[in-house]
Structures are given as C-alpha cells and as structure tokens.
Amino acid sequence: MQHATTVQTETFLPYMRDVAKCEQSLQELNLMWRVIEASAKMNCPTEAKTILPTMAATRSGFSRLERELVSSLVEEKVRNVLAEIGTKAQYVIDIVVRNLYERTADVGFLATDRELCNFVAGISDSVEAARYRLREYRNKYTVYDEIILTDTDGNVLVQIDPATPLEHTADPLIRQTLESETYVETFRATDLRPSKDRALIYSRRMHHPQTGAVIGVLCLCFHFEEEMAGIFCAHRDPEARANMLLLDGDNRVIASADALWIPPGTEVPVNAGGQARLMMFCGREYLVRTFASEGYQGYPGPVGWQGQVMIPVEVAFSGIAGDVLSRLSPELAEGLLSHAHSFCPPLYDIMTAAKTIQRIVWNGQVMTAGQRGEMLKLKTILDQISETGNRSNELFAQSIHDLYQTVLSSSMRDAEFTTSLLVDLLDRNLYERSDDCRWWALTPELRAALAQPALDEATTARLTEILAYINGLYTVYTRLFIYDRNGHIVASTGDDLDSVVGSSIDEATLAQVTSLRSQQHYHVSAFGPSALYGGQATYIYHAAVRALDNDGAVVGGIGIVFDAAPEFRNMLRAGLAGKEKMSAFYVDRSGRILSSTDDNRPVGSTLDIDVAMLQLANGQCSSGVTLHDGQYAIVACSASNGYREFKVSDGYQEDVIAVVFQCFGATNQGNQQGASSQFLLESGITSPDDLEYATFFSDNSLFAISAANVMEAVPFSAVLPTSMGNRAEQVGVLGLNHDNQHREFVWVFDLGHLIRGTRSAVTSSSQVMIVRHGAHTIGLLVDELHAVPQFSPAQITHTPLAMQGDSMLVSQVIKANGGKLLIQAIEVERLFAYVIDGTIPLPPPAQELDAAPQAMPGERQLMAA
C-alpha cells in the first residue's frame, strides 16, 4: 500500500489539538533553555563552563526537535488515517471484483445449459418449464434479481421477475452479445430493467444444441444495489465519520455508503497515488484514498471502477481511541515502547528527548557533587534545569501516552478490519461453492444417467465430458465427481482417476447426502485430509442428484473438491495487501489451522492464541497485544458471519476465525524500569555531613555509587565495538574528549554481567557511566539513570554478605524513604580491584578506534542530542 512521503505540517496541524499542545510545550521548553543558559553565563560562567557546551547543544537540539517532532507527529497521524481509509478503499473494489468474477463464470456455464438451449432453439416449448429452471437457478445463486432469455431479434422469451414484464428489448447489448465469443458486461440504464436507473448485466449468446447456430441471448442481472448495501453496512466506519464509495472511470459515484452525504452520479476528487494532501469537495476538505482493481484470476473488473473512502479532515483525527494501554501489562507496554523506533518513530523521538533532559540534569548534579561556594550557584541553575525538565517530562509522558495510544489503537483497528475482510472473503467464496454443487446436481444428463440401473461405457464417457467442461470453467476445484445411490464414484475429473473412479465415498457422507430434504440443501464434509485431494485438507461440497420423475428420489450425488490450499492462501495474502510484518491464519473454533501465510505453522497444527478469541460470537472481532514467536505483536481476529443465506439460514454451520499477528520486535530479556513510582525518592532535610550518590538501574534493581567517583553519563550509542577485549564483561571502548583536545579511550564494562554473569540487553534507555578511581577510568553499562540524591550516614549500613568474598561489589545498603526502599551501594575499590587486575590490555590506539565502524544514523542522532 502506498503512503505519502511528504506532509505539509501547517496544513494538518490546526486539526490536531494534541499535537498543537505538544508544539506549544516544546516552544516553552525551548524558551526555558535559553533563559537557563543565559543565567548560567551571567552568574557562574567559570563554574558552568563544563556544562555550558552541553546546554548549548541541548538548546540547539530542542530547537531542531521542536520542528522535527511536530512534523513527524503530524506525519504519523496523517499516515495512520490514510492507511486506515486506504485499506477500506481497496477492500471495496477488491470484493466487488471478486464477486463479479464469479458472475462471468456463471453466465458462461448457464448459457450452455441444455434445457435452456432447447427452449430458445424451439426444441421444447414450455415457457413455464424454462421459467421454473431459471427460478431454480435464482434460488441457488441469490445474487441475481432477474434472468432473461431473448431471441436474436431481442424478443423476450422468458423472464423470472413478474414486477417488470417485458416483451422486447432494443438495447444494443443484444447485438453486441450475439457478435461476441465471450460474455458482455453492461452497466447503465437499459430497457431490460425499466424500474432501475441502471443495471449490471452479464450476457452471453446461446447456441443450438444440435447445429451450433447462434439462437439467442442469456442475460443475468446482478442485484447490484443490494450487494453494495451489504458491503457498506458490514464494513463502513461505525462512527460514520467517513464515506465508502464505488466510482466509475470518470470519477463519478456509482454507489455510496451514505447517499444523502455523497449521492450517486456525483463527481468526486480522487487520490490514486495516496498523497498526503487535502482535497476540496462541496466546500469541505477531505483526506481521500482511491484504489483501482488489480484484477482477479485474469478478470480485470468493470473498466475504470475504483474503490474510494473520503473522510473530512476536521474529524479525521478525532476518533475515540480505546484505552488500550490500561489493558496491557507493564511488561508488554514497556516491551512495545522499546521498539518505538521501528513501529512509531515520532514516539521514539519524544522518548529520546525525555531521556536527554534526564541525562543533562544527572550529569550536572554529578559534576557539582561535593562542591561548595560559587558552585552552589551552579546548583541553583541545575535545580532550574531539573524543575523545568520535570515539568517537561510530564508533558512528554502525556504526549508519549497519547501517541502510543493512537498508534496502537490505529494498528489494532486496521488489524481487526483486515480479519473482518478475510472472513468475508472466505464466506463469499464458499457461498459460491454451495451454489455450484446444488445447481450442477440439477443437470438433466446426470439425473437421467444415475437413475439407470447400470451405466454403460458411452454414458460414463458423457458424464466425464460434462464434468470436465464444468471444471474447465470453474478453476477453484481440483476435482468434480459423481456417485450412485450406493456411494460408488462413477465419473470424475482430476488426477489419479484409476484410484478414484470405482471407489466409494464414506458411509457417513452418503447418509447425509441421501437424507437431504430438497434441492436447496447441501452437505459439506468437515475440513480435513482427503484422498480425493491428494491427502491434503479441504472442504468437499455435496448435493443430492434426484431422478427426473415426479417423486424426485435421490439416485446419487455430486461432490466438488475445493482447491483449498492455494485458494485460502490467496485470500489471506489478498487480505494482507502487502502489509509488512503481518501473518494471517484461518482457524476453526479449536484453533486448528486451516490455512496460513506462516510456513512454520502448517495446516492441521494448532495456533497458540487466547481461548477467549476462539469463542467470539459470529460477526464479532477482537484485538490485543501479545507475545508471538518471541516478538511483541498485535493480534486480531474475526469470527465468520456467513454471506447472504450461506451459514445464516441454510442450515450449514462451520465457523472459521481469521487471525492476524503484526509483529513489532523481539521481546527484551533485559529489564525496563521506566518511571516507576516505587523508586521515587522522598526529599528530606539535608546536612553538610550528607553523602552524595549517583543512583541508577541495573538488573531490575536500584544501585548507587559515590558521586565523587562519577564523571558523567553518555548514551550507549557512543560506545565503539571492538574485538580486542578478552573478557565477556567488556562491551567496547569509549572516547573521552578533554579540554586540551586530547582524546582518552576507556574500556566499557557491562555491570549486569559483572553482577549476574550474563550479558545485559541494550535498550534506548541504556547509559554508560564514566567512573574514576585513582589513575584508572572505566565506563559502566547500566540500564537507566535515576538521580543524584544525598543520604545521611545513618541511612547507610554494611551488608552482611559483603564479607563472603572479594568478588562481591555491593558492600553497603542505603535505606531510603524511611527504610521502605533499599538501594545497593557499589564499593568503588572492590569494583576497580575486580576489573583492573592486570589482565585487561590497554585500549587500542586512537587512530584505530577512529576508523572503527560508526554508530547507525539513529544512534548518531542520540549522540548529538
């Protein structure tokens, strides 16, 4: 599906209140940075020189962020709306074309019906018999509201609609059809349907059954209005904010979900390229998506027809989003957020901005730890930074929540609609199969042959010829076969005929077929492997073949083997319409897979899915967030609801559930702390004897290290990988720039690995703390920064585990928040004794590291921030 690459922010921003609020917040934040930077330069230029460059870079970064973030937020919202209405626009035209493809096959087959051909040729003269046969066809294929037979001069020989009696037609489609060797498709006003402004008619010429001469025309009149009303009713936006349309090649409305809003015949603007621009219609601006048909099974669809959805821009971004986040576990929510860079770049930018503020404040507090005198002025400025950062973080948090909600809700709605489309495609397709088997069971030759006590070779050959002709027109079947009243297969199409003809259907199926009450009833085998389908799983549709005499006794049956494997797979792929990272399934109520786009989950295996989703009521859909194949994913499903009378009122019940998974990224084995309230520190009265600690997260716990030994923190993206380290704890090297332009490289160690012996997962929150002890400096990879608080000596106690071995890094525990929060304090001497033990080589030369692979573009942006 195409999406626009450029969005004019100024055009759409007035319609997005939440984004406008975010823009205002960013402008206020930018102003505060300027004020704080100016204050630092005036009041303590010497003390602030170490952080002034960072502050200047941050101010510059926020100026850029103000522009880029708002722009990307607008683009994300526009993209979501265009994607959502685009899916529906494509559905409108695709489902219509698939339906009309079946009509092209119907008219080709019915035009060769021997009884009808005999009537038109004058071999038989019973109008009532011909009308009865046409009505029997209409009873099976309920998509038609009129069927007409004419002679070559346009005289109406028989019709089934008594409301509009016809004697003659002057419509040129009769002459066009007589001259054509295939079907003719007509959509316009016609005297064949005088009660309608226009009619969709499929016509085909008929031939004399003996001489082959052209003798007349068959006209199948499709109940177009009813069909489009059903599509719109089932799949239109439930809030009626958008309108679904079917257009012709001149961009005029053929059918409208809301004819009072946009009536048929109206010319509308179209957007086939998917550009993100507003289009004016009747003094109102719309977002529009338009799709032409890509054809189906070689059938291109009516010339120029298009599916379109239009939504007024003033309501396009104001839909009610469900409270998705409240239904997610914290682990799932944080896991999805960790992949924000892939599934929602603007969300990732906001999160990065919030982390940048936190790191600046944290670094500034570390730099001034233990300082007195003039440095207190810098502390005051840092307090301003911290206060501004906290207020901004609250706004950022709300923006993250709102955008996160929007993206998830939009993705879940789109996934639900996709599954709704998938079950609709399936039910519509299988509806045709139920029609076919019942109609073909009425073939006079089949009925006469099976009523005989025994079949001779010539009769069998004729039956095989009839089946082969039908199968050639209807390619969705791998085999058509007929069997006698004892269940013995007497003729068949397809492969392995030697093993099929002469074999028998199972007794249970035969009992079901012979007990069918009328010509309107049919039987479908349970989905499963069948020798008639090469051992693969499928549905086989059966109808009883009845004698031609008055008692209509069952003399056998016809079975049609649906080519389920490719047909179901094609439906699933058509429904996905190229959606990346999405897989689709058809399953039954037990979760057994009927078809799949996932090669790792074959037909017959069981799909791991929430049992509640398998118990959805017919026609209902549901979605959620789950773990799928080790990835965070949206899961959505819809339960089939039938089509027309199929699975609704015809006595057949076989629920199928369509399921899609949209994956966002691998599950994180690391820990996501976020801003959990359980780690907030209560402020108290400070004293000159208090000790300052830098606190941070690692291994899902809160740790502390003396702030006097911490220089600063940098994002993990600044770390350069190297293969020179000989210990698993070493994860790379980091270049530190000094005032004299000298660059020093230090080793970076994974603190989580030092503590538990396994590598830490790197996330967008991962930071590297620069720690110095004596002449040595190292970097420590931690999960996330926390704060730089002060604690009184009375709050610090030695842990009894500290004496159990020199490898223990934690020697003290800090009792914060009145003892309700315990913080593990890492002893710097033990840490350096453990890592600086003579086994670690010196870092490689600067020129070698400068030539090392650089960070990815996204990481460079983090580093710049």
Side-chain angles (χ1 to χ4, degrees):
M1 185 176 294
Q2 296 178 344
H3 292 300
T5 55
T6 303
V7 175
Q8 296 296 324
T9 303
E10 299 79 10
T11 301
F12 296 99
L13 187 58
Y15 305 102
M16 302 178 182
R17 295 179 181 176
D18 53 344
V19 181
K21 181 179 179 181
C22 180
E23 181 186 42
Q24 181 180 357
S25 302
L26 288 169
Q27 290 173 344
E28 293 174 356
L29 178 61
N30 195 2
L31 177 61
M32 285 303 302
W33 276 115
R34 292 178 181 275
V35 171
I36 293 171
E37 184 182 5
S39 177
K41 287 180 178 179
M42 289 186 296
N43 295 321
C44 50
T46 303
E47 295 78 5
K49 68 178 181 178
T50 56
I51 64 168
L52 281 174
T54 302
M55 292 175 61
T58 301
R59 176 179 52 77
S60 175
F62 271 95
S63 296
R64 185 191 70 249
L65 182 67
E66 181 184 337
R67 298 188 302 270
E68 294 182 357
L69 181 55
V70 170
S71 217
S72 57
L73 285 170
V74 170
E75 183 172 346
E76 181 73 13
K77 284 180 170 285
V78 172
R79 189 192 68 81
N80 283 342
V81 172
L82 286 174
E84 191 169 339
I85 66 174
T87 297
K88 296 187 176 184
Q90 188 166 28
Y91 165 74
V92 171
I93 187 63
D94 283 353
I95 204 67
V96 167
V97 169
R98 282 172 173 263
N99 193 319
L100 298 187
Y101 162 76
E102 300 284 351
R103 313 295 62 94
T104 66
D106 287 351
V107 72
F109 178 69
L110 191 59
T112 63
D113 183 84
R114 182 171 292 272
E115 288 193 33
L116 297 180
C117 288
N118 283 340
F119 172 74
V120 176
I123 298 173
S124 61
D125 59 2
S126 174
V127 174
E128 286 308 313
R131 182 176 289 114
Y132 174 80
R133 185 154 181 80
L134 291 179
R135 283 179 173 166
E136 279 296 306
Y137 189 84
R138 164 65 173 80
N139 290 340
K140 311 295 185 293
Y141 299 86
T142 56
V143 294
Y144 301 112
D145 60 358
E146 172 70 295
I147 306 176
I148 302 170
L149 298 179
T150 76
D151 63 17
T152 55
D153 294 323
N155 296 310
V156 175
L157 303 178
V158 64
Q159 66 179 115
I160 65 171
D161 183 6
T164 56
L166 302 173
E167 293 183 359
H168 179 81
T169 175
D171 196 303
L173 77 82
I174 299 297
R175 178 54 49 193
Q176 183 183 358
T177 305
L178 291 171
E179 296 173 353
S180 174
E181 295 184 357
T182 183
Y183 68 88
V184 173
E185 187 176 59
T186 306
F187 182 68
R188 53 173 168 74
T190 171
D191 61 3
L192 286 165
R193 300 297 284 145
S195 63
K196 293 189 174 186
D197 294 333
R198 64 212 163 158
L200 180 56
I201 299 176
Y202 289 83
S203 55
R204 182 121 187 189
R205 71 188 185 188
M206 303 176 73
H207 297 266
H208 195 289
Q210 297 170 1
T211 67
V214 176
I215 55 175
V217 173
L218 163 70
C219 297
L220 290 179
C221 303
F222 183 63
H223 203 333
F224 176 75
E225 296 80 8
E226 182 182 75
E227 176 64 18
M228 294 309 303
I231 293 174
F232 294 147
C233 179
H235 300 290
R236 189 189 176 192
D237 172 16
E239 298 173 3
R241 296 180 305 135
N243 202 356
M244 299 179 78
L245 306 169
L246 184 66
L247 311 180
D248 63 17
D250 296 323
N251 302 332
R252 292 191 178 277
V253 177
I254 301 172
S256 171
D258 190 337
L260 294 177
W261 182 357
I262 305 177
T266 307
E267 184 176 354
V268 294
V270 298
N271 185 16
Q275 291 87 1
R277 59 191 178 95
L278 295 180
M279 312 194 86
M280 184 69 72
F281 173 69
C282 291
R284 198 176 185 185
E285 290 183 306
Y286 289 82
L287 277 169
V288 179
R289 287 305 309 270
T290 315
F291 278 90
S293 170
E294 296 181 357
Y296 178 66
Q297 302 279 25
Y299 168 64
V303 177
W305 282 22
Q306 307 162 88
Q308 177 159 303
V309 173
M310 302 173 64
I311 185 168
V313 66
E314 66 267 23
V315 299
F317 310 104
S318 60
I320 300 174
D323 192 8
V324 180
L325 294 179
S326 66
R327 304 199 305 264
L328 297 184
S329 67
E331 294 78 11
L332 277 178
E334 291 293 342
L336 270 177
L337 276 172
S338 70
H339 292 285
H341 62 283
S342 62
F343 84 93
C344 182
L347 180 57
Y348 182 69
D349 289 343
I350 295 178
M351 294 164 59
T352 301
K355 296 298 180 186
T356 300
I357 294 177
Q358 181 189 30
R359 188 172 62 250
I360 291 171
V361 174
W362 195 92
N363 280 340
Q365 291 173 334
V366 163
M367 292 175 188
T368 59
Q371 303 293 330
R372 298 291 184 267
E374 290 297 314
M375 290 299 287
L376 290 177
K377 295 181 180 179
L378 182 57
K379 276 184 172 289
T380 302
I381 291 175
L382 289 172
D383 289 341
Q384 293 176 342
I385 295 175
S386 181
E387 181 181 350
T388 304
N390 288 337
R391 290 203 311 265
S392 302
N393 279 344
E394 291 177 5
L395 294 171
F396 278 135
Q398 188 59 47
S399 297
I400 289 173
H401 181 279
D402 292 346
L403 183 58
Y404 190 19
Q405 190 92 279
T406 298
V407 172
L408 279 180
S409 296
S410 176
S411 298
M412 292 166 75
R413 282 197 308 270
D414 188 62
E416 285 183 7
F417 186 82
T418 299
T419 59
S420 176
L421 166 61
L422 290 175
V423 290
D424 200 11
L425 288 175
L426 180 138
D427 281 341
R428 285 168 174 270
N429 191 302
L430 298 186
Y431 157 82
E432 304 286 348
R433 315 294 66 93
S434 70
D435 295 345
D436 291 345
C437 72
R438 290 178 293 163
W439 175 249
W440 297 335
L442 299 180
T443 305
E445 291 93 335
L446 301 186
R447 300 171 70 178
L450 291 180
Q452 299 174 17
L455 299 180
D456 56 31
E457 189 173 327
T459 303
T460 301
R462 174 59 183 158
L463 296 180
T464 303
E465 181 183 341
I466 293 172
L467 295 179
Y469 172 72
I470 298 173
N471 210 163
L473 287 175
Y474 294 82
T475 57
V476 296
Y477 305 111
T478 59
R479 185 185 308 281
L480 275 62
F481 61 95
I482 53 176
Y483 46 92
D484 61 22
R485 70 193 73 200
N486 297 315
H488 300 310
I489 297 176
V490 298
S492 174
T493 64
D495 300 328
D496 301 323
L497 291 182
D498 292 339
S499 62
V500 172
V501 176
S503 65
S504 299
I505 65 172
D506 62 275
E507 293 183 3
T509 297
L510 181 61
Q512 290 283 350
V513 174
T514 55
S515 63
L516 291 173
R517 298 193 303 275
S518 73
Q519 296 170 344
Q520 283 298 101
H521 295 89
Y522 60 96
H523 169 71
V524 188
S525 65
F527 189 87
S530 172
L532 295 170
Y533 191 49
Q536 297 185 79
T538 189
Y539 292 115
I540 301 179
Y541 287 74
H542 296 263
V545 176
R546 300 175 186 273
L548 287 168
D549 54 32
N550 291 333
D551 67 355
V554 175
V555 294
I558 183 170
I560 57 178
V561 181
F562 181 58
D563 195 4
E567 292 297 324
F568 281 165
R569 196 179 307 115
N570 289 340
M571 292 179 211
L572 292 175
R573 288 173 177 168
L576 294 185
K579 291 182 171 68
E580 296 181 1
K581 299 181 180 179
M582 187 177 277
S583 56
F585 305 83
Y586 285 131
V587 302
D588 62 17
R589 287 289 189 184
S590 66
R592 181 174 57 119
I593 295 175
L594 312 184
S595 185
S596 166
T597 61
D598 185 347
D599 294 335
N600 295 320
R601 289 181 169 82
V603 172
S605 61
T606 300
L607 184 65
D608 184 14
I609 185 174
D610 185 356
V611 175
M613 287 190 162
L614 298 175
Q615 298 171 346
L616 281 176
N618 294 107
Q620 297 299 305
C621 56
S622 178
S623 59
V625 179
T626 187
L627 300 181
H628 178 69
D629 285 346
Q631 298 212 1
Y632 299 104
I634 282 177
V635 57
C637 63
S638 292
S640 61
N641 198 35
Y643 171 63
R644 304 183 74 87
E645 69 279 359
F646 177 68
K647 294 186 182 178
V648 176
S649 60
D650 62 2
Y652 174 53
Q653 184 173 2
E654 174 75 0
D655 293 341
V656 174
I657 298 173
V659 182
V660 299
F661 290 95
Q662 182 179 0
C663 295
F664 292 114
T667 55
N668 290 320
Q669 299 304 316
N671 302 298
Q672 302 289 318
Q673 275 73 230
S676 176
S677 60
Q678 64 176 313
F679 294 113
L680 292 179
L681 296 177
E682 299 173 0
S683 58
I685 301 174
T686 60
S687 111
D689 297 328
D690 288 350
L691 303 174
E692 290 181 283
Y693 283 85
T695 58
F696 53 91
F697 292 100
S698 182
D699 201 25
N700 204 31
S701 299
L702 191 58
F703 287 85
I705 195 167
S706 173
N709 294 100
V710 179
M711 299 170 59
E712 63 175 323
V714 297
F716 178 78
S717 55
V719 176
L720 297 173
T722 176
S723 59
M724 294 184 62
N726 60 356
R727 288 170 56 172
E729 305 96 309
Q730 295 171 253
V731 293
V733 294
L734 189 64
L736 304 179
N737 292 316
H738 297 282
D739 292 340
N740 58 4
Q741 304 303 312
H742 170 66
R743 199 175 191 199
E744 174 190 4
F745 287 94
V746 299
W747 284 110
V748 177
F749 293 86
D750 180 354
L751 180 60
H753 196 290
L754 291 172
I755 293 172
R756 65 177 180 271
T758 57
R759 181 65 64 92
S760 298
V762 175
T763 71
S764 59
S765 299
S766 297
Q767 307 285 330
V768 176
M769 297 193 319
I770 310 303
V771 183
R772 176 165 290 174
H773 178 61
H776 298 289
T777 305
I778 62 171
L780 280 184
L781 169 63
V782 300
D783 293 340
E784 189 173 350
L785 302 177
H786 181 248
V788 186
Q790 294 180 333
F791 299 107
S792 68
Q795 293 177 275
I796 303 171
T797 181
H798 284 275
T799 172
L801 299 178
M803 305 306 295
Q804 292 185 4
D806 293 338
S807 63
M808 299 295 294
L809 302 181
V810 177
S811 60
Q812 296 175 324
V813 172
I814 303 172
K815 297 178 180 179
N817 296 352
K820 292 179 290 186
L821 175 62
L822 299 181
I823 305 173
Q824 302 176 70
I826 292 179
E827 187 174 329
V828 176
E829 290 80 1
R830 288 175 179 245
L831 172 66
F832 276 79
Y834 184 68
V835 299
I836 309 296
D837 60 357
T839 64
I840 302 178
L842 293 174
Q847 60 268 25
E848 179 179 331
L849 287 169
D850 286 337
Q854 297 300 303
M856 297 298 288
E859 294 174 330
R860 285 198 295 270
Q861 187 176 8
L862 271 172
M863 294 167 65

